[in-house]
Amino acid sequence: MSEQTAKATTSEKAYNPRLELYKGFWRRFKKNKSALVGGIIVLFFILLAIFGPMLVNTNPNATDIANKLQPPSVEHWFGTDNYGRDIFARIVHGTKLTLVVGFVSVMIGGIIGVLFGIVSGYYGGKVDTIIMRLMDILLAFPGILLALAIVSVLGGSLQNMIIAIGIFSVPTFARIVRGSTLSVRKLEYIDAMRALGASDFRIIFKHILPNVLSPIIVQATLRIATAVLTASGLSFLGLGAQPPTPEWGAMLSAGRSYMAESPHMILIPGLAIVLVVLAFNIFGDGLRDALDPKANK
């Protein structure tokens, strides 16, 4: 009898629900080959943003007029721009800037949007009506136009661009979290927690929020791609990062006057933007499929 008890105890210790959950997620995720590729590209750009500036000693803002508009070569892998600056160094240093804008703006929009969405879905009634009508007003404007309006009011700078992108990301998170909260709050264990006297704060952040994390993670990943694209568009229009900041959208804007004689000036930053946006979108789609509880294991 003691041996059976010992075996049962060992079996219980061997089974880890959290570990099994992670394994199930990984099994579903690795079946999506394109998502794996997207994840690898995302990881590559993150590592490049962290370690690239330390490995590339060239000053991205150092001018050399004598060597301006040089095509890609052994000395300058991606060529030089109209001021003789090394485009490879500017792309590497711009990677950190681009990802910081994407992650920080989405984090701002995500935090505010999640709070609005979870409060709206949990309390309902007039609170829900007021918050959702506010979100509808923000959604009535196309994202890039809303960001343009905000930056026009605040002024063109990197910080204001991050704020603008964060604000127009709020309603998307709010609506997704509200829908998930409406489903979770109807579950029996939420009623049980209320009956036991748990506070609204404890129910919201300890029991509801962990159950709506999956759509938040997926939306955040997809939203980073949108944020990168919007930031590049604002910088292209001169409302984002200001010269000589090595931001990819600003580099595109500078290169449009030299498209015929030096196409590498727009081709390189353009490909970098496309690759990052595509990678985050594919990776986000893979996460959505892998985190779907109805997916086949």
Coordinates of all heavy atoms in Angstrom, one line a residue, residues 147-233:
A147 N -3.2 59.4 -35.7 CA -1.8 59.6 -35.3 C -1.3 61.0 -35.9 O -0.6 61.7 -35.2 CB -0.9 58.5 -35.8
L148 N -1.6 61.2 -37.1 CA -1.2 62.5 -37.8 C -1.8 63.7 -37.0 O -1.1 64.7 -36.8 CB -1.7 62.5 -39.2 CG -0.8 61.9 -40.3 CD1 -1.5 61.8 -41.6 CD2 0.5 62.7 -40.4
A149 N -3.1 63.6 -36.6 CA -3.7 64.7 -35.9 C -3.1 64.9 -34.6 O -2.8 66.1 -34.2 CB -5.2 64.4 -35.8
I150 N -2.8 63.8 -33.9 CA -2.2 64.0 -32.5 C -0.8 64.5 -32.6 O -0.4 65.4 -31.9 CB -2.2 62.6 -31.8 CG1 -3.6 62.1 -31.6 CG2 -1.4 62.7 -30.5 CD1 -3.7 60.6 -31.1
V151 N 0.0 64.1 -33.6 CA 1.4 64.6 -33.7 C 1.4 66.0 -34.2 O 2.2 66.8 -33.8 CB 2.2 63.7 -34.7 CG1 3.5 64.3 -35.1 CG2 2.4 62.3 -34.2
S152 N 0.4 66.4 -35.0 CA 0.3 67.8 -35.5 C 0.0 68.7 -34.3 O 0.5 69.8 -34.3 CB -0.8 67.9 -36.5 OG -0.6 67.1 -37.6
V153 N -0.8 68.2 -33.3 CA -1.1 69.0 -32.2 C 0.1 69.1 -31.2 O 0.5 70.2 -30.7 CB -2.3 68.5 -31.4 CG1 -2.6 69.2 -30.1 CG2 -3.6 68.6 -32.3
L154 N 0.7 67.9 -30.9 CA 1.8 67.8 -30.0 C 3.1 68.3 -30.5 O 4.0 68.8 -29.8 CB 2.0 66.4 -29.5 CG 0.8 65.8 -28.8 CD1 1.1 64.3 -28.4 CD2 0.4 66.6 -27.5
G155 N 3.3 68.2 -31.9 CA 4.6 68.6 -32.5 C 5.3 67.4 -32.9 O 5.2 66.3 -32.3
G156 N 6.1 67.5 -34.0 CA 6.8 66.4 -34.6 C 8.1 66.0 -33.8 O 9.0 66.8 -33.7
S157 N 8.1 64.9 -33.1 CA 9.3 64.4 -32.4 C 9.1 62.9 -32.1 O 7.9 62.4 -32.3 CB 9.4 65.1 -31.0 OG 8.4 64.8 -30.1
L158 N 10.1 62.2 -31.7 CA 10.1 60.8 -31.5 C 9.1 60.5 -30.3 O 8.3 59.5 -30.4 CB 11.5 60.3 -31.2 CG 11.6 58.7 -31.1 CD1 11.3 58.1 -32.4 CD2 13.0 58.4 -30.7
Q159 N 9.2 61.2 -29.3 CA 8.3 61.0 -28.1 C 6.9 61.2 -28.4 O 6.0 60.4 -28.0 CB 8.8 61.9 -26.9 CG 10.1 61.7 -26.3 CD 11.3 62.2 -27.2 OE1 11.0 62.9 -28.2 NE2 12.5 61.9 -26.8
N160 N 6.6 62.3 -29.1 CA 5.2 62.5 -29.5 C 4.6 61.5 -30.5 O 3.4 61.2 -30.4 CB 5.0 63.9 -30.1 CG 5.3 65.0 -29.1 OD1 5.2 64.8 -27.9 ND2 5.6 66.2 -29.6
M161 N 5.5 61.0 -31.3 CA 5.1 59.9 -32.2 C 4.7 58.6 -31.5 O 3.7 58.0 -31.8 CB 6.2 59.6 -33.2 CG 5.9 58.5 -34.2 SD 7.2 58.3 -35.5 CE 8.5 57.7 -34.5
I162 N 5.5 58.3 -30.4 CA 5.2 57.1 -29.6 C 3.8 57.3 -28.9 O 3.0 56.4 -28.8 CB 6.3 56.9 -28.6 CG1 7.6 56.5 -29.3 CG2 5.9 55.9 -27.5 CD1 8.8 56.3 -28.4
I163 N 3.6 58.5 -28.4 CA 2.3 58.8 -27.7 C 1.2 58.7 -28.7 O 0.1 58.1 -28.3 CB 2.4 60.2 -27.1 CG1 3.4 60.3 -25.9 CG2 1.0 60.6 -26.6 CD1 3.7 61.7 -25.4
A164 N 1.3 59.2 -29.9 CA 0.3 59.2 -30.9 C -0.1 57.8 -31.3 O -1.2 57.4 -31.3 CB 0.7 60.0 -32.1
I165 N 0.9 56.9 -31.5 CA 0.7 55.6 -31.9 C 0.1 54.8 -30.7 O -0.8 53.9 -30.9 CB 2.0 54.9 -32.3 CG1 2.5 55.6 -33.6 CG2 1.8 53.4 -32.6 CD1 3.9 55.1 -34.0
G166 N 0.5 55.1 -29.5 CA -0.1 54.5 -28.3 C -1.5 54.8 -28.2 O -2.3 53.9 -27.9
I167 N -1.9 56.0 -28.4 CA -3.3 56.4 -28.3 C -4.2 55.7 -29.3 O -5.3 55.2 -28.9 CB -3.4 58.0 -28.4 CG1 -2.8 58.7 -27.2 CG2 -4.9 58.4 -28.5 CD1 -2.8 60.2 -27.3
F168 N -3.7 55.7 -30.5 CA -4.6 55.0 -31.5 C -4.6 53.5 -31.4 O -5.4 52.8 -32.1 CB -4.3 55.5 -33.0 CG -3.4 54.7 -33.8 CD1 -3.8 53.5 -34.3 CD2 -2.1 55.1 -34.0 CE1 -3.0 52.7 -35.1 CE2 -1.2 54.3 -34.8 CZ -1.7 53.1 -35.4
S169 N -3.8 52.9 -30.6 CA -3.8 51.5 -30.3 C -4.8 51.1 -29.2 O -5.1 50.0 -29.0 CB -2.4 51.0 -29.9 OG -1.5 51.2 -31.0
V170 N -5.2 52.1 -28.4 CA -6.0 51.9 -27.2 C -7.3 51.2 -27.6 O -7.7 50.2 -27.0 CB -6.3 53.2 -26.4 CG1 -7.4 53.0 -25.4 CG2 -5.0 53.6 -25.8
P171 N -8.1 51.7 -28.5 CA -9.5 51.1 -28.7 C -9.4 49.7 -29.2 O -10.3 48.9 -28.9 CB -10.1 52.0 -29.8 CG -9.0 52.8 -30.4 CD -7.9 52.9 -29.3
T172 N -8.4 49.3 -30.0 CA -8.3 47.9 -30.4 C -8.1 47.0 -29.2 O -8.8 45.9 -29.1 CB -7.1 47.7 -31.4 OG1 -7.2 48.7 -32.5 CG2 -7.1 46.3 -31.9
F173 N -7.3 47.3 -28.3 CA -7.1 46.5 -27.1 C -8.3 46.5 -26.3 O -8.7 45.4 -25.7 CB -5.9 47.0 -26.3 CG -4.5 46.6 -26.8 CD1 -3.8 47.5 -27.6 CD2 -4.0 45.3 -26.6 CE1 -2.6 47.1 -28.1 CE2 -2.8 44.9 -27.1 CZ -2.0 45.8 -27.8
A174 N -8.9 47.6 -26.1 CA -10.1 47.8 -25.2 C -11.3 46.9 -25.7 O -11.9 46.2 -24.9 CB -10.6 49.2 -25.2
R175 N -11.5 46.9 -27.0 CA -12.6 46.1 -27.5 C -12.4 44.6 -27.4 O -13.3 43.8 -27.1 CB -12.9 46.4 -29.0 CG -13.4 47.8 -29.2 CD -13.7 48.2 -30.6 NE -14.8 47.4 -31.2 CZ -16.1 47.8 -31.1 NH1 -16.4 49.0 -30.5 NH2 -17.1 47.1 -31.6
I176 N -11.1 44.2 -27.7 CA -10.8 42.7 -27.6 C -10.9 42.3 -26.1 O -11.5 41.2 -25.9 CB -9.4 42.5 -28.2 CG1 -9.4 42.6 -29.7 CG2 -8.9 41.1 -27.8 CD1 -8.0 42.5 -30.3
V177 N -10.3 43.0 -25.2 CA -10.4 42.6 -23.8 C -11.8 42.7 -23.3 O -12.2 41.8 -22.4 CB -9.4 43.5 -23.0 CG1 -9.5 43.2 -21.5 CG2 -8.0 43.3 -23.4
R178 N -12.6 43.6 -23.7 CA -14.0 43.7 -23.2 C -14.7 42.4 -23.6 O -15.4 41.9 -22.8 CB -14.7 44.9 -23.8 CG -16.2 45.0 -23.5 CD -16.8 46.2 -24.2 NE -18.2 46.2 -24.0 CZ -19.1 45.6 -24.8 NH1 -18.7 44.9 -25.8 NH2 -20.4 45.7 -24.5
G179 N -14.6 42.0 -24.9 CA -15.3 40.8 -25.3 C -14.8 39.6 -24.5 O -15.7 38.8 -24.2
S180 N -13.5 39.4 -24.3 CA -13.1 38.3 -23.5 C -13.5 38.4 -22.1 O -13.9 37.3 -21.5 CB -11.5 38.2 -23.6 OG -11.1 38.1 -24.9
T181 N -13.6 39.6 -21.5 CA -14.0 39.7 -20.1 C -15.5 39.4 -20.0 O -15.9 38.8 -19.0 CB -13.8 41.2 -19.6 OG1 -12.4 41.5 -19.8 CG2 -14.2 41.4 -18.2
L182 N -16.3 39.8 -20.9 CA -17.7 39.4 -20.9 C -17.9 37.9 -20.8 O -18.9 37.4 -20.2 CB -18.4 40.0 -22.1 CG -18.6 41.5 -22.1 CD1 -19.2 42.0 -23.5 CD2 -19.6 42.0 -21.0
S183 N -17.1 37.2 -21.5 CA -17.2 35.7 -21.5 C -16.7 35.1 -20.2 O -17.4 34.2 -19.6 CB -16.4 35.1 -22.6 OG -16.8 35.6 -23.9
V184 N -15.6 35.6 -19.7 CA -15.0 35.1 -18.4 C -15.9 35.4 -17.2 O -16.0 34.6 -16.3 CB -13.6 35.6 -18.3 CG1 -13.0 35.1 -16.9 CG2 -12.7 35.1 -19.4
R185 N -16.4 36.6 -17.1 CA -17.1 37.0 -15.9 C -18.4 36.2 -15.7 O -19.0 36.2 -14.6 CB -17.5 38.5 -16.0 CG -18.7 38.8 -16.9 CD -19.1 40.2 -16.7 NE -20.3 40.5 -17.4 CZ -21.0 41.6 -17.4 NH1 -20.6 42.6 -16.6 NH2 -22.1 41.8 -18.1
K186 N -18.9 35.5 -16.7 CA -20.1 34.7 -16.6 C -19.8 33.2 -16.0 O -20.7 32.5 -15.8 CB -20.8 34.5 -17.9 CG -21.3 35.9 -18.5 CD -21.9 35.7 -19.8 CE -22.4 37.0 -20.4 NZ -23.0 36.8 -21.8
L187 N -18.5 32.9 -15.9 CA -18.1 31.6 -15.4 C -18.5 31.4 -14.0 O -18.5 32.4 -13.2 CB -16.6 31.3 -15.7 CG -16.2 31.4 -17.1 CD1 -14.7 31.2 -17.2 CD2 -16.9 30.4 -18.0
E188 N -18.7 30.2 -13.6 CA -19.2 29.9 -12.2 C -18.2 30.2 -11.2 O -18.5 30.7 -10.1 CB -19.6 28.4 -12.1 CG -20.8 28.0 -13.0 CD -21.1 26.5 -12.8 OE1 -20.4 25.8 -12.1 OE2 -22.1 26.1 -13.4
Y189 N -16.9 30.0 -11.5 CA -15.9 30.3 -10.4 C -15.8 31.8 -10.1 O -15.4 32.2 -9.0 CB -14.6 29.7 -10.8 CG -13.7 30.5 -11.7 CD1 -12.7 31.4 -11.2 CD2 -13.9 30.5 -13.1 CE1 -12.0 32.2 -12.0 CE2 -13.1 31.2 -13.9 CZ -12.1 32.1 -13.4 OH -11.4 32.8 -14.2
I190 N -16.2 32.7 -11.0 CA -16.2 34.1 -10.7 C -17.3 34.4 -9.7 O -17.2 35.2 -8.8 CB -16.4 34.9 -12.0 CG1 -15.2 34.7 -13.0 CG2 -16.5 36.4 -11.7 CD1 -13.9 35.1 -12.5
D191 N -18.5 33.8 -9.9 CA -19.6 33.9 -9.0 C -19.2 33.4 -7.6 O -19.6 33.9 -6.6 CB -20.8 33.2 -9.5 CG -21.4 33.8 -10.8 OD1 -21.2 35.0 -11.0 OD2 -22.0 33.1 -11.6
A192 N -18.5 32.3 -7.6 CA -18.0 31.7 -6.4 C -17.1 32.6 -5.6 O -17.2 32.8 -4.4 CB -17.3 30.4 -6.6
M193 N -16.2 33.3 -6.4 CA -15.3 34.3 -5.7 C -16.0 35.4 -5.1 O -15.7 35.9 -4.0 CB -14.2 34.8 -6.8 CG -13.3 33.7 -7.2 SD -12.3 32.9 -5.9 CE -11.6 34.3 -5.2
R194 N -17.1 35.9 -5.8 CA -17.9 37.0 -5.3 C -18.6 36.5 -4.0 O -18.7 37.3 -3.0 CB -18.9 37.4 -6.3 CG -18.4 38.2 -7.5 CD -19.5 39.0 -8.2 NE -19.1 39.4 -9.5 CZ -19.3 38.8 -10.6 NH1 -20.0 37.7 -10.6 NH2 -18.9 39.3 -11.8
A195 N -19.1 35.3 -4.0 CA -19.8 34.8 -2.9 C -18.9 34.6 -1.7 O -19.3 34.8 -0.5 CB -20.4 33.4 -3.2
L196 N -17.6 34.4 -1.9 CA -16.6 34.2 -0.8 C -16.1 35.6 -0.3 O -15.3 35.7 0.6 CB -15.4 33.4 -1.3 CG -15.7 31.9 -1.6 CD1 -14.5 31.3 -2.2 CD2 -16.0 31.2 -0.2
G197 N -16.6 36.7 -1.0 CA -16.3 38.0 -0.5 C -15.0 38.6 -1.1 O -14.5 39.6 -0.6
A198 N -14.6 38.1 -2.2 CA -13.4 38.6 -2.9 C -13.7 40.0 -3.5 O -14.8 40.3 -4.0 CB -12.9 37.7 -4.0
S199 N -12.8 40.9 -3.4 CA -13.0 42.3 -3.9 C -13.0 42.3 -5.4 O -12.4 41.4 -6.1 CB -11.9 43.2 -3.4 OG -10.6 42.9 -3.9
D200 N -13.6 43.4 -6.0 CA -13.5 43.5 -7.5 C -12.1 43.5 -8.0 O -11.8 43.0 -9.1 CB -14.3 44.7 -7.9 CG -15.8 44.6 -7.7 OD1 -16.3 43.5 -7.5 OD2 -16.5 45.6 -7.7
F201 N -11.2 44.3 -7.3 CA -9.8 44.4 -7.7 C -9.2 43.0 -7.8 O -8.5 42.7 -8.8 CB -9.1 45.3 -6.7 CG -7.7 45.5 -7.1 CD1 -7.3 46.6 -7.9 CD2 -6.6 44.7 -6.6 CE1 -6.0 46.8 -8.3 CE2 -5.3 44.9 -7.0 CZ -5.0 46.0 -7.8
R202 N -9.4 42.2 -6.8 CA -8.8 40.8 -6.8 C -9.4 40.0 -7.9 O -8.7 39.2 -8.6 CB -9.1 40.2 -5.4 CG -8.5 38.8 -5.3 CD -8.8 38.2 -3.9 NE -8.3 36.8 -3.8 CZ -7.1 36.5 -3.5 NH1 -6.2 37.4 -3.3 NH2 -6.7 35.2 -3.4
I203 N -10.7 40.0 -8.1 CA -11.3 39.2 -9.1 C -10.8 39.6 -10.5 O -10.5 38.8 -11.4 CB -12.9 39.4 -9.1 CG1 -13.4 38.7 -7.8 CG2 -13.5 38.7 -10.3 CD1 -14.9 39.0 -7.6
I204 N -10.7 41.0 -10.7 CA -10.3 41.5 -12.0 C -8.9 41.1 -12.3 O -8.6 40.5 -13.4 CB -10.5 43.0 -12.1 CG1 -12.0 43.3 -12.2 CG2 -9.7 43.6 -13.3 CD1 -12.2 44.8 -12.1
F205 N -7.9 41.3 -11.4 CA -6.5 41.2 -11.7 C -6.0 39.8 -11.4 O -4.9 39.4 -11.9 CB -5.7 42.3 -11.0 CG -5.9 43.6 -11.6 CD1 -6.8 44.5 -10.9 CD2 -5.3 44.0 -12.7 CE1 -7.0 45.8 -11.5 CE2 -5.5 45.3 -13.3 CZ -6.4 46.2 -12.6
K206 N -6.6 39.1 -10.5 CA -6.1 37.7 -10.2 C -6.8 36.6 -10.9 O -6.2 35.5 -11.2 CB -6.2 37.5 -8.7 CG -5.5 36.2 -8.2 CD -5.5 36.2 -6.7 CE -4.9 34.9 -6.2 NZ -3.5 34.7 -6.6
H207 N -8.1 36.8 -11.3 CA -8.8 35.7 -11.9 C -9.3 36.0 -13.4 O -9.3 35.1 -14.2 CB -10.1 35.4 -11.0 CG -9.7 35.0 -9.6 ND1 -9.2 33.7 -9.4 CD2 -9.7 35.7 -8.5 CE1 -9.0 33.7 -8.1 NE2 -9.3 34.8 -7.5
I208 N -9.6 37.3 -13.7 CA -10.1 37.5 -15.0 C -8.9 37.8 -16.0 O -8.8 37.3 -17.1 CB -11.1 38.7 -15.0 CG1 -12.4 38.3 -14.3 CG2 -11.4 39.2 -16.5 CD1 -13.4 39.4 -14.3
L209 N -8.0 38.7 -15.5 CA -6.9 39.1 -16.4 C -6.1 38.0 -16.9 O -5.7 37.9 -18.1 CB -6.0 40.2 -15.7 CG -4.9 40.8 -16.5 CD1 -5.4 41.4 -17.8 CD2 -4.1 41.7 -15.7
P210 N -5.7 37.0 -16.0 CA -4.9 35.9 -16.5 C -5.6 35.1 -17.6 O -5.0 34.4 -18.4 CB -4.6 35.0 -15.2 CG -4.7 36.0 -14.1 CD -5.8 37.0 -14.5
N211 N -6.9 35.1 -17.6 CA -7.7 34.3 -18.5 C -7.9 35.0 -19.8 O -8.4 34.4 -20.8 CB -9.1 33.9 -17.9 CG -9.0 32.8 -16.9 OD1 -8.8 31.6 -17.2 ND2 -9.0 33.1 -15.6
V212 N -7.6 36.3 -19.9 CA -7.7 37.0 -21.2 C -6.4 37.4 -21.7 O -6.3 38.2 -22.7 CB -8.6 38.2 -21.0 CG1 -10.0 37.8 -20.5 CG2 -8.0 39.3 -20.0
L213 N -5.3 36.8 -21.2 CA -3.9 37.2 -21.7 C -3.7 36.7 -23.1 O -2.9 37.4 -23.8 CB -2.9 36.6 -20.7 CG -2.6 37.4 -19.4 CD1 -1.5 36.6 -18.6 CD2 -2.2 38.8 -19.8
S214 N -4.2 35.6 -23.5 CA -3.9 35.1 -24.8 C -4.2 36.0 -26.0 O -3.4 36.4 -26.8 CB -4.6 33.7 -25.1 OG -4.1 32.7 -24.2
P215 N -5.5 36.6 -26.0 CA -5.8 37.5 -27.1 C -5.0 38.8 -26.9 O -4.7 39.5 -27.9 CB -7.3 37.8 -26.9 CG -7.6 37.4 -25.6 CD -6.7 36.2 -25.2
I216 N -4.6 39.2 -25.7 CA -3.8 40.4 -25.5 C -2.4 40.2 -26.1 O -1.9 41.1 -26.8 CB -3.6 40.7 -24.0 CG1 -5.0 41.1 -23.4 CG2 -2.6 41.8 -23.8 CD1 -5.0 41.3 -21.9
I217 N -1.8 39.0 -25.9 CA -0.4 38.7 -26.4 C -0.5 38.7 -27.9 O 0.4 39.3 -28.6 CB 0.1 37.4 -25.9 CG1 0.3 37.5 -24.4 CG2 1.3 37.0 -26.6 CD1 0.6 36.1 -23.7
V218 N -1.5 38.1 -28.5 CA -1.6 38.0 -30.0 C -1.8 39.4 -30.6 O -1.1 39.8 -31.5 CB -2.7 37.1 -30.4 CG1 -3.0 37.2 -31.9 CG2 -2.4 35.7 -30.0
Q219 N -2.7 40.2 -30.0 CA -2.9 41.5 -30.5 C -1.7 42.4 -30.3 O -1.4 43.2 -31.2 CB -4.1 42.1 -29.8 CG -4.5 43.5 -30.3 CD -4.9 43.5 -31.7 OE1 -5.5 42.5 -32.2 NE2 -4.6 44.6 -32.4
A220 N -1.0 42.3 -29.2 CA 0.2 43.1 -29.0 C 1.3 42.8 -30.1 O 1.9 43.7 -30.7 CB 0.8 42.9 -27.7
T221 N 1.4 41.5 -30.4 CA 2.4 41.1 -31.5 C 2.0 41.7 -32.8 O 2.9 42.3 -33.5 CB 2.5 39.6 -31.6 OG1 2.8 39.1 -30.3 CG2 3.6 39.2 -32.5
L222 N 0.7 41.6 -33.2 CA 0.3 42.1 -34.5 C 0.3 43.6 -34.5 O 0.6 44.2 -35.5 CB -1.1 41.6 -34.7 CG -1.3 40.1 -34.9 CD1 -2.8 39.8 -35.0 CD2 -0.6 39.6 -36.2
R223 N 0.1 44.2 -33.3 CA 0.0 45.7 -33.2 C 1.4 46.3 -33.4 O 1.6 47.4 -33.8 CB -0.6 46.1 -31.9 CG -1.2 47.5 -31.9 CD -2.4 47.5 -32.8 NE -2.9 48.9 -33.0 CZ -3.8 49.2 -33.9 NH1 -4.4 48.3 -34.6 NH2 -4.2 50.5 -34.0
I224 N 2.5 45.6 -33.0 CA 3.8 46.1 -33.2 C 4.1 46.3 -34.6 O 4.7 47.3 -35.0 CB 4.8 45.1 -32.5 CG1 4.7 45.1 -31.0 CG2 6.3 45.5 -33.0 CD1 5.6 44.1 -30.3
A225 N 3.7 45.4 -35.5 CA 3.8 45.6 -36.9 C 3.2 46.8 -37.4 O 3.7 47.6 -38.2 CB 3.3 44.3 -37.7
T226 N 1.9 47.1 -36.9 CA 1.2 48.3 -37.3 C 1.9 49.5 -36.8 O 2.0 50.5 -37.5 CB -0.2 48.2 -36.8 OG1 -0.9 47.1 -37.2 CG2 -1.0 49.4 -37.2
A227 N 2.4 49.4 -35.6 CA 3.1 50.6 -35.0 C 4.4 50.9 -35.8 O 4.7 52.1 -36.0 CB 3.5 50.3 -33.5
V228 N 5.2 49.9 -36.2 CA 6.4 50.1 -37.0 C 6.0 50.8 -38.3 O 6.7 51.7 -38.7 CB 7.1 48.8 -37.2 CG1 8.2 49.0 -38.2 CG2 7.7 48.3 -35.9
L229 N 5.0 50.3 -38.9 CA 4.6 50.8 -40.2 C 4.1 52.3 -40.1 O 4.4 53.2 -40.9 CB 3.4 50.0 -40.8 CG 3.2 50.1 -42.3 CD1 4.4 49.8 -43.1 CD2 2.0 49.2 -42.7
T230 N 3.3 52.6 -39.0 CA 2.8 53.9 -38.8 C 3.9 54.9 -38.4 O 4.0 56.0 -38.9 CB 1.8 53.9 -37.6 OG1 0.7 53.0 -38.0 CG2 1.2 55.3 -37.4
A231 N 4.9 54.4 -37.6 CA 6.0 55.2 -37.2 C 6.9 55.6 -38.5 O 7.3 56.7 -38.6 CB 6.9 54.5 -36.2
S232 N 7.0 54.6 -39.3 CA 7.8 54.9 -40.6 C 7.1 55.9 -41.4 O 7.7 56.8 -42.0 CB 8.0 53.6 -41.3 OG 8.8 52.7 -40.6
G233 N 5.8 55.8 -41.5 CA 5.0 56.7 -42.3 C 5.0 58.1 -41.8 O 5.2 59.1 -42.5

